[in-house]
Every structure is written in structure tokens, then in C-alpha cells.
Amino acid sequence: MDTRAISPEPSPWLPFESRRRARDEKREAVLRTAVQLFLEQGYHRATLNDVADRLNITKPALYNYFRSKEDILYECWAMGQERVEDRIAEIESTNENGLATLRMLVRAYAVVMASDFGASLVRFNVADLSEANQKTTLAGKRRIDRAFRGAIEQGIADHSIKPCDVKLTAFAILGALNWIGHWYKPGGELSPDQIADDFAIRLTADIAKPPDRKPPERKPSEKKTSRSVRRK
Amino acid sequence: MDTRAISPEPSPWLPFESRRRARDEKREAVLRTAVQLFLEQGYHRATLNDVADRLNITKPALYNYFRSKEDILYECWAMGQERVEDRIAEIESTNENGLATLRMLVRAYAVVMASDFGASLVRFNVADLSEANQKTTLAGKRRIDRAFRGAIEQGIADHSIKPCDVKLTAFAILGALNWIGHWYKPGGELSPDQIADDFAIRLTADIAKPPDRKPPERKPSEKKTSRSVRRK
């Protein structure tokens, strides 16, 4: 008995930690397959049988990981939301000015949007979720809105962003970003990083106060003269 | 017999033209109610019984106007698409420069997006439509894309718009516009017209060549000098 304890036979079961990890990996594999199918065929057309088939398992085996199809849909959303929130937390901890923060948010959100889990934030219908889950997604959406509005407000306060209608500006920026989830196809002309870099500048161009465009230092009187001359 | 023909008894049936009009009105009333319900509850949750109930008719009566729930969903989309295409045709016939055309397109599309039928262009899942109808919606989406890209291309050619990636620019603008269909609530702070006016400027600000910023007429040689002076 003691010998067995000291030098144990190899167990056919994995140690607990590895088992937990394997389980998490399998769970995520189910979500990755499910989100692909939901995006390809629409949530209502895609069946759990299709998901199971692609994974070489049976439909009942899916219920080891998820309670229902709706549960899977919600978890796909949660994967995308978690990625966005992780990036927001990271970015907000950098203490850059408002414009730089906003550009980092645009960049990060664009990259997530170009992924399947990211697209699930905008391509599925929240009405297909349970009421409790609908509330959670709504709260998640608000946190994203708040991060973007916060950066814009901060930018106006620290003069890196021109005064503007904060809500409408955030809607315009988030709209352009969310649309990526609809049009982006992997393997297209532009990589997610290229789109992200472009959008970070493009979507903030009209509200950014360009630091290098500052007129050269002049006395106010001179400025007035040159302007009135130009008008004539 | 002749007397009857000359001065007929009033018929309990409406004349053909009025009947056709009444039928069209009823058909559109069904669509207006259906689109509201689909937007409120999601296409799959909303039932044709709900639609019929709101209209004080029976579900079978709906089948006088539409073949199926899918048919209704498609016709809601078609109402929105038709409005957009009517406005595009109108705008394209004005022969303004590229920037002005683009701004008119943004304005018109924003107003449609703030309507129920407009929102149906972006809030429903095309996967819920028949294959033939999916193809039609895809073609419709392409016509909208083409109109926006065309205006941008025209603007670059006529120098009202700065050289830019046409596709990405159109995606960014259309994304911001499509998002209106998700966030706009009637009776909010801003009217559809106010949002449209704001977006027409906002979404084109970074690519517009401002006509009033043109440098005053100078000979090319002078221009060169002033530029090289500035560089020093």
C-alpha cells in the first residue's frame, strides 16, 4: 500500500488541473465551431447536430458543456464581450490623453470585430436570448459605449479632441466599427490589423485636434491683419 | 336595364381602382405592424397571430396579402430598400459634384435608417429568408454600396474629395449609418433630420476637400517658393 503511494502506477485519468484545462479547451472548441455555424447559416437554421457533427461528437455530448442552444449563443457573445472588456481595461490603465485612448479603443475593438466571437456581438439577435441574458448583453453594450464616450469626454477636457456631441460621436464611431463584423471576411485584401490602423485614424480624424497643424507663434495683432488681408 | 346603366344604384362594392388602393393600404398596414413587432420581439419570437391581433383581423386573413411569414419579412425589407433606391435615383439625377452627392446620400440614408422599414435592412437576419430572397437582398445591398462608392470615386475625380481607399471609406460611412437602425428610438433627443444633417457633415469631414481653404491664386513659381520657405 505504501509503495503504491510513493511510486504510483500511471493513472489512465489526467490530473485534475489538466482535466480542467482539457475540459475548458473542449468547451471553447464547441463555441468556436458553434459561432462559425451560427454566422454562416444563421442561429435558427444551424442545428446542434451540425455543431456536433463538425466536432465528431454526438449531440448529447454537447450537453456536458452547455445546457442549451441558447446557452451556447450566449457564451459566444460572452467570449466576444470578454475580449473587448479585457482590452478596454488594459487601455484605460495606460493614462494616455483622450484622443490617444480613443484611438487605442478603436484599434482594439476593430481587431475583435474582425474575429468570429467579436462578430457575434453584432450579428445575432438579442431577442433570441433569455431575458436574464438579454439584460447582461445590454449592460455589456453600455460598458463599451461608456468607454468610448469616456475617452471622448476626456479628450474634450484635455483639449486633444474638439468639442462635439459626445453621444452622436460615439454612435458614429461604434457604428463604423460594428459594421466590420458584417463585412469582414478572413483572407480579404486587408488584415484586421490594417483595418484597425486605418480606422483608428479615419474615425477620429474629424474630431482630433491635430497638434502639428498649430499655426506658428504670432502676436494676436499680426494674426488679425493677415486674416483681414486674405478676406479682401 | 338602360336606366340602370345611365343612373346606377350605388354598389356596395368599391370601384376597381379604389379597391386596389384599399388593398394596397391594407397590405402596407400589415407590413407596418409586422415590422414593428419583428423589431420589438425579434422575427422568430413574433408570431403572425400577434400581427393579426394588433390589426383586429384573423391570422388566415393575413394570407389574403402574403404567402408566409417569410414573405412578410422579405416585403418589410423590400419597403426599406425601395425607399433607399428611390432616393438614390433622385440624388444621382441631380448632377452635383462627388462630395455633394455623397452628402445627399448620407442624409437620405440616415433618414430612412431612422424608420422601421429602414431599420429592417439591418436588424433582421438574411439567413431567415428564402435563398431567392437572400440573393435579392444581397443585390440590393450591392446597389447601395455602389452608389456610395460611386459618389466617392466621382468626388476624387472632380477633386471635391481627397484621394482615399474607396471601399474602406464607404464601409466606414455605411457602418455609421446602418448603426442608426440599431440605436435610434423615435422621440429621442434628436430628430431623424437632425441626425441626418449632422452625419452628412460628420461622416464626410475627413475626406472632404474644404473649398474655402483653397490657397489664394498664385503663380506656380511663387507657390514653390513659399513652400520651400516654410520648410526651412
Side-chain angles (χ1 to χ4, degrees):
Chain A
M1 251 184 185
D2 268 3
T3 351
R4 237 184 27 190
I6 289 161
S7 149
E9 287 285 310
S11 162
W13 285 278
L14 291 166
F16 178 75
E17 184 49 33
S18 310
R19 257 188 292 160
R20 204 190 53 76
R21 209 179 310 126
R23 190 185 147 75
D24 284 354
E25 275 167 19
K26 284 176 182 166
R27 203 172 172 278
E28 199 179 315
V30 172
L31 292 180
R32 271 201 307 272
T33 301
V35 77
Q36 267 179 12
L37 266 164
F38 293 170
L39 290 172
E40 277 169 34
Q41 306 181 2
Y43 172 66
H44 288 276
R45 293 220 171 173
T47 68
L48 290 194
N49 274 325
D50 298 335
V51 176
D53 279 354
R54 282 213 190 169
L55 290 160
N56 304 317
I57 56 174
T58 63
K59 185 175 156 185
L62 290 176
Y63 291 103
N64 290 326
Y65 305 99
F66 300 97
R67 285 188 305 275
S68 63
K69 193 180 174 191
E70 188 267 330
D71 189 23
I72 295 181
L73 181 67
Y74 171 75
E75 291 296 336
C76 291
W77 172 88
M79 293 289 283
Q81 182 70 23
E82 197 184 302
R83 288 183 186 187
V84 175
E85 295 201 21
D86 283 354
R87 300 290 286 119
I88 289 177
E90 229 173 86
I91 289 164
E92 286 181 342
S93 71
T94 58
N95 286 318
E96 294 278 352
N97 73 20
L99 178 63
T101 305
L102 180 62
R103 285 183 169 159
M104 283 190 285
L105 287 173
V106 169
R107 226 204 148 282
Y109 195 74
V111 170
V112 178
M113 258 312 124
S115 72
D116 286 346
F117 288 128
S120 78
L121 295 184
V122 296
R123 293 269 296 276
F124 301 134
N125 201 332
V126 286
D128 291 325
L129 295 171
S130 72
E131 259 182 63
N133 285 339
Q134 283 187 36
K135 271 188 195 155
T136 312
T137 61
L138 208 66
K141 203 173 255 185
R142 277 208 205 99
R143 280 195 297 280
I144 296 174
D145 267 341
R146 213 153 44 220
F148 278 79
R149 290 184 195 178
I152 297 165
E153 276 161 6
Q154 187 199 330
I156 296 172
D158 67 25
H159 303 291
S160 58
I161 289 177
K162 294 177 199 163
C164 60
D165 182 324
V166 174
K167 221 164 112 182
L168 220 50
T169 304
F171 276 144
I173 292 174
L174 277 164
L177 288 171
N178 285 331
W179 197 235
I180 296 173
H182 289 269
W183 60 260
Y184 176 74
K185 297 273 174 297
E189 276 168 51
L190 295 171
S191 72
D193 277 327
Q194 287 173 313
I195 296 165
D197 286 340
D198 179 292
F199 272 35
I201 300 304
R202 174 189 299 276
L203 303 183
T204 58
D206 60 320
I207 53 163
K209 276 198 186 161
D212 27 339
R213 266 199 217 155
K214 254 187 223 157
E217 292 272 325
R218 277 182 202 166
K219 280 173 212 158
S221 61
E222 272 181 56
K223 226 177 187 172
K224 225 174 205 166
T225 322
S226 85
R227 202 180 284 160
S228 56
V229 164
R230 211 174 295 148
R231 248 183 221 156
K232 274 175 197 170
Chain B
M1 248 183 180
D2 268 1
T3 350
R4 238 189 21 196
I6 289 162
S7 148
E9 285 286 308
S11 161
W13 286 277
L14 291 167
F16 178 76
E17 184 49 33
S18 310
R19 257 188 293 162
R20 204 190 52 77
R21 209 180 309 126
R23 191 187 145 75
D24 284 355
E25 275 167 20
K26 284 176 183 166
R27 201 171 173 279
E28 199 179 315
V30 172
L31 291 180
R32 271 201 308 272
T33 302
V35 76
Q36 266 177 13
L37 267 164
F38 293 170
L39 290 172
E40 278 168 34
Q41 305 180 4
Y43 172 66
H44 289 275
R45 294 219 171 172
T47 69
L48 291 193
N49 276 324
D50 298 334
V51 176
D53 279 353
R54 282 213 189 168
L55 290 161
N56 305 317
I57 56 175
T58 62
K59 185 176 157 186
L62 290 176
Y63 291 102
N64 290 326
Y65 306 98
F66 300 97
R67 285 187 306 275
S68 63
K69 194 180 174 190
E70 189 267 329
D71 189 24
I72 296 181
L73 181 67
Y74 171 75
E75 291 296 337
C76 291
W77 172 87
M79 293 289 284
Q81 182 71 22
E82 198 185 302
R83 289 183 187 187
V84 176
E85 294 201 21
D86 283 354
R87 300 290 287 118
I88 289 176
E90 230 173 87
I91 290 164
E92 286 181 343
S93 70
T94 59
N95 285 320
E96 294 277 352
N97 73 20
L99 178 62
T101 305
L102 181 63
R103 284 183 171 159
M104 284 189 283
L105 287 173
V106 169
R107 226 205 148 283
Y109 194 75
V111 171
V112 178
M113 259 310 125
S115 72
D116 286 347
F117 288 127
S120 78
L121 296 184
V122 295
R123 293 269 295 276
F124 301 134
N125 201 333
V126 287
D128 290 325
L129 295 172
S130 73
E131 257 181 64
N133 285 338
Q134 283 188 37
K135 270 189 197 156
T136 312
T137 61
L138 208 66
K141 201 172 257 184
R142 275 207 205 101
R143 279 194 299 278
I144 296 174
D145 267 341
R146 211 151 47 217
F148 278 78
R149 290 183 196 178
I152 297 165
E153 276 161 7
Q154 189 199 328
I156 296 172
D158 67 25
H159 302 291
S160 58
I161 289 177
K162 295 177 199 164
C164 60
D165 182 324
V166 173
K167 219 164 116 183
L168 220 49
T169 303
F171 277 145
I173 292 174
L174 278 164
L177 288 170
N178 285 330
W179 197 234
I180 296 172
H182 289 269
W183 61 260
Y184 176 74
K185 297 274 173 297
E189 278 168 50
L190 295 171
S191 71
D193 277 328
Q194 287 173 312
I195 295 165
D197 286 340
D198 179 292
F199 272 36
I201 301 303
R202 174 190 299 278
L203 303 183
T204 58
D206 60 320
I207 54 165
K209 276 198 186 159
D212 23 339
R213 267 199 217 156
K214 250 189 225 158
E217 292 272 325
R218 278 182 202 166
K219 280 173 211 154
S221 61
E222 272 180 57
K223 227 176 188 172
K224 225 174 204 166
T225 322
S226 84
R227 203 180 281 160
S228 55
V229 165
R230 212 176 296 147
R231 249 183 220 156
K232 275 173 195 169

